[in-house]
Amino acid sequence: MASTSGAMDVDVESKAPSVDIASTPENVTRIVEENEDKDLSRSLNQRHIQMIALAGAIGTGLFLSLGGALQNGGPLGALLGYAYMGGVVCAVQFALGEVSALFPVTGSYVRHAEFLVDPALGFAVGWNVVYGTYLSVPSEISAAMVLIQFWTDKYPALWITLFIVLTFLVGIIFVGIFGEVEFFFALLKIFLVIGIVIMGLVIDLGGVSGQERIGFRYWNNPGPLVEYLALGSWGKFLGFWAVMTNAVYSFAGVESVSVAAAETQNPRQNIPKACNRVFARVSILYLLSVLIVGMLVPSNDPSLNDYSGTAATSPFVVAATRAGIKVVPSIINSVVLTSALSASNQSLLSGTRILYGLALKKQAPKIFLRTTKYGIPYVCVILQTLVASLAFMSLSNGALTVFNWLLRLTAAGTLVTWSVILINHIRLHKALQKQGISRHELPWHHWWTVYASWIGLVSCLLFLFTGGFSVFVKGHWDTATFISSYLDIPIVIAAYGGWKIFKKTKILPWRKFLFEKRLMR
């Protein structure tokens, strides 16, 4: 290894420089950006980024975990829960958009944490994202197995292997191909949600032959809210709060739009545009879907209580089946299956790019710096593909059971990520304020985001610490639920504290020229 400076070493095997995190933030930023420009390919254009943002906003969780939300919270509880979480997601997206417009770098919020807060926080959240996204791939494959079992329960090992291979192929080839695949999957999702809303209205208004008008019948019986773990108003509130974990998983991945900034054309314009439009997607697509399902499927439908893991339990499929429509359930199931594959692809993109960024800064083994001639960090992709083999647990425990385990694990990691994104944004605005720089000088900004970030941060922390509240109710202790709900908290704290002690990092002072340089671009 030949040394070129005190801040940068050149890896002969990978041809990629690595960065000493002890260097000043501006040097770290310069060196990493130079390496990204050299080794990564800017092949994602505005069309791709817009659709990746949309694909991230419509995940498998909407189609699978919504059933659990309806069962626990009732139609009104599910609607309010998803609306509340949608507001938090909007706060996260706008915060991410503002910071990413100023610092459009691969690794996004991980790198932002390093030069806006503390290098140790960047290390902790970086590995937290790698851990979460690597678990998300087998989670989505388990979700795909739930959907496949709607048609057949034969050859599960073969299906899992096929999904792993497909995910690997999409991740290892030219990133522009990834963009095209996600563009196609996102279009299918849009058409599916629009079709579901139209179908739901037709069924609800009695437009299906032999079916009477439903209206808001199920809001009256069994009722708009469901008692969960307790009786009366308190039980109904707990039912509403139980919706949050399902909703977090449904929205997980919306932050991935900025992770591949170094592989995006004109990231300072395209990424904020993608973040800016998430509000309409959340309010129209998600809330309409939740409302329609609550009108068509009663919260006490026995299909929603199927925890065997041997059949698909998507409430959209249940709604079509209850209406006696034989073809539509298979169509819905097919498109939801592509949603699982899409979510798996996005998790692979996020996890591999974050791991690549960690390796650049010597926070991960240098072998992860190796890229193909098309700019794909192929060693990162291979590792994530190996971790995806956890999906084979579905063979002994049931696909839906494994999906629910991984759901809780990834939901906690998602909340940590969102909290860091909001902290980065708050710190950025505080720095601008202290240095007398108007936020209007930012490439992209909104007047209300400062307030929204504080509300979002408090909400994320509440969701994080109450994610496994059910185990603390008398008679409902479950070790697996407790571990999967709270394991991520000590992992992140240990990673932050360990790196801080090892590298003696400090919360960074502000360097005005760093902002001025960015604002003049």
Side-chain angles (χ1 to χ4, degrees), residues 13 75 153 172 248 296 299-300 307 348 362 474:
E13 288 184 303
D153 58 358
I172 203 67
V248 168
L296 299 180
S299 58
N300 60 358
Y307 294 106
L348 189 144
K362 296 184 178 180
K474 186 177 181 180

Side-chain angles (χ1 to χ4, degrees), residues 84-100 108-109 112 251-258 271 275-276 278 282 414-425 444 448-449 451-460 463:
Y84 184 6
M85 189 59 66
V88 172
V89 169
C90 288
V92 171
Q93 282 292 86
F94 279 94
L96 182 60
E98 286 193 7
V99 182
S100 295
S108 185
Y109 43 86
H112 299 159
F251 288 113
V254 295
E255 69 281 358
S256 65
V257 65
S258 68
I271 289 177
C275 295
N276 192 33
V278 74
V282 169
T414 297
L415 288 170
V416 171
T417 296
W418 290 354
S419 297
V420 171
I421 290 172
L422 295 166
I423 290 172
N424 291 340
H425 182 255
W444 187 72
W448 47 268
T449 54
Y451 311 103
S453 290
W454 277 108
I455 296 173
L457 178 59
V458 172
S459 298
C460 284
F463 299 151

Side-chain angles (χ1 to χ4, degrees), residues 315-339:
F316 301 101
V317 173
V318 173
T321 302
R322 287 176 62 89
I325 304 175
K326 297 181 179 180
V327 178
V328 170
S330 290
I331 296 175
I332 293 175
N333 218 51
S334 299
V335 179
V336 175
L337 182 59
T338 68
S339 175

Side-chain angles (χ1 to χ4, degrees), residues 360-411:
L360 275 176
K361 301 183 295 290
K362 296 184 178 180
Q363 295 176 345
K366 65 180 182 180
I367 192 173
F368 295 116
L369 293 173
R370 297 185 180 183
T371 60
T372 68
K373 64 180 180 179
Y374 298 110
I376 303 297
Y378 68 92
V379 178
C380 299
V381 174
I382 291 173
L383 176 62
Q384 190 153 15
T385 304
L386 293 175
V387 175
S389 62
L390 290 173
F392 284 105
M393 291 192 304
S394 303
L395 299 179
S396 59
N397 295 290
L400 189 61
T401 302
V402 174
F403 172 75
N404 286 326
W405 288 345
L406 296 173
L407 181 152
R408 287 187 289 269
L409 283 168
T410 53

Side-chain angles (χ1 to χ4, degrees), residues 256-269:
S256 65
V257 65
S258 68
V259 169
E263 296 164 271
T264 303
Q265 299 173 9
N266 301 318
R268 299 192 99 193
Q269 288 77 39

